[in-house]
């Protein structure tokens, strides 16, 4: 999981992940490890690393790209909040497969089961994570597809081109 813990939806997501999803994943994949990455973890989040040796709390990291490079997947059990889901886009462009809730992918318009796995319950999130952890070929396939999607739809060139079209349309439709 990646996120800043000044943002309540990230705190809620990690608590749900650790308390509801992680026990199911560990049961199926006993060697799995959970890294919780992000600045300002709460005391409760920090305590997870003491209670369960399979959980590591990193706090803030110098370069998030290294975290994605070493991860087999990102789990994003986001149930509240609005805005751009940078953690999802960063993971996808890093070829890190993503398992998350419907809200985690809100506004991204990627295709479920091709670019990511969507799941809204603890059992569904765990099942999707387990499926990826047990299938490295699927991790690679989904990682490549998601990177291509982000590069096509969220590159600076693509965004600038779309913005230029809006400016041109506005300029031609505005009368003085």
């Amino acid at each position: 999981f990646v996120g800043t813990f000044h943002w309540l939806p990230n705190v809620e997501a990690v608590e749900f992940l650790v308390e509801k999803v992680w026990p199911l994943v560990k049961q199926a994949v006993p060697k799995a490890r959970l890294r919780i990455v992000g600045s300002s973890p709460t005391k409760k989040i920090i305590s997870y690393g003491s209670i369960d040796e399979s959980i590591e709390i990193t706090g803030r990291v110098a370069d998030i790209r290294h975290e994605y490079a070493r991860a087999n997947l990102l789990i994003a059990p986001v149930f509240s909040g609005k805005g751009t889901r940078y953690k999802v886009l960063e993971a996808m462009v890093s070829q890190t497969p993503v398992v998350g809730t419907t809200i985690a992918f809100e506004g991204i318009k990627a295709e479920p089961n091709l670019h990511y796995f969507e799941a809204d319950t603890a059992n569904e999130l765990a099942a999707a994570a387990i499926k990826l952890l047990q299938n490295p070929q699927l991790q690679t396939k989904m990682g490549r597809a998601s990177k291509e999607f982000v590069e096509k739809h969220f590159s600076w060139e693509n965004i600038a081109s779309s913005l230029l079209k809006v400016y041109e349309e506005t300029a031609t439709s505005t009368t003085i």
Side-chain angles (χ1 to χ4, degrees):
F1 183 89
V2 172
T4 179
F5 298 105
H6 289 296
W7 182 239
L8 183 59
N10 286 335
V11 173
E12 293 170 341
V14 165
E15 289 175 359
F16 182 83
L17 172 59
V18 171
E19 295 169 14
K20 306 288 186 191
V21 179
W22 188 241
L24 301 172
V25 173
K26 271 193 350 183
Q27 184 176 13
V29 187
K31 292 185 179 183
R33 307 251 329 137
L34 173 60
R35 288 176 58 84
I36 299 172
V37 180
S39 62
S40 304
T42 64
K43 289 180 183 179
K44 184 175 183 181
I45 291 172
I46 293 168
S47 76
Y48 292 140
S50 313
I51 297 168
D52 185 338
E53 64 184 31
S54 71
I55 300 173
E56 180 182 353
I57 314 301
T58 68
R60 182 176 169 81
V61 295
D63 191 338
I64 194 65
R65 293 174 296 182
H66 299 298
E67 298 301 319
Y68 289 121
R70 69 184 286 188
N72 295 96
L73 64 117
L74 171 78
I75 303 177
V78 179
F79 293 102
S80 63
K82 295 289 180 194
T84 306
R85 309 295 186 208
Y86 291 114
K87 69 173 85 357
V88 170
L89 293 173
E90 288 171 344
M92 291 172 75
V93 80
S94 300
Q95 297 188 52
T96 303
V98 183
V99 173
T101 57
T102 303
I103 291 175
F105 299 101
E106 198 171 66
I108 293 178
K109 298 181 182 173
E111 188 176 329
N113 302 320
L114 172 63
H115 301 118
Y116 64 91
F117 283 137
E118 183 176 284
D120 287 313
T121 69
N123 287 339
E124 292 170 346
L125 287 159
I130 292 163
K131 182 176 182 175
L132 280 165
L133 288 170
Q134 293 177 337
N135 191 335
Q137 292 82 11
L138 180 58
Q139 289 175 36
T140 300
K141 182 179 177 183
M142 186 173 279
R144 286 182 183 151
S146 64
K147 179 179 181 177
E148 289 172 11
F149 173 82
V150 172
E151 287 176 339
K152 181 177 180 183
H153 297 281
F154 292 94
S155 69
W156 283 114
E157 183 179 323
N158 188 312
I159 292 170
S161 175
S162 296
L163 188 57
L164 181 59
K165 287 178 188 173
V166 169
Y167 289 152
E168 288 172 345
E169 290 171 9
T170 302
T172 59
S173 66
T174 304
T175 56
I176 299 178

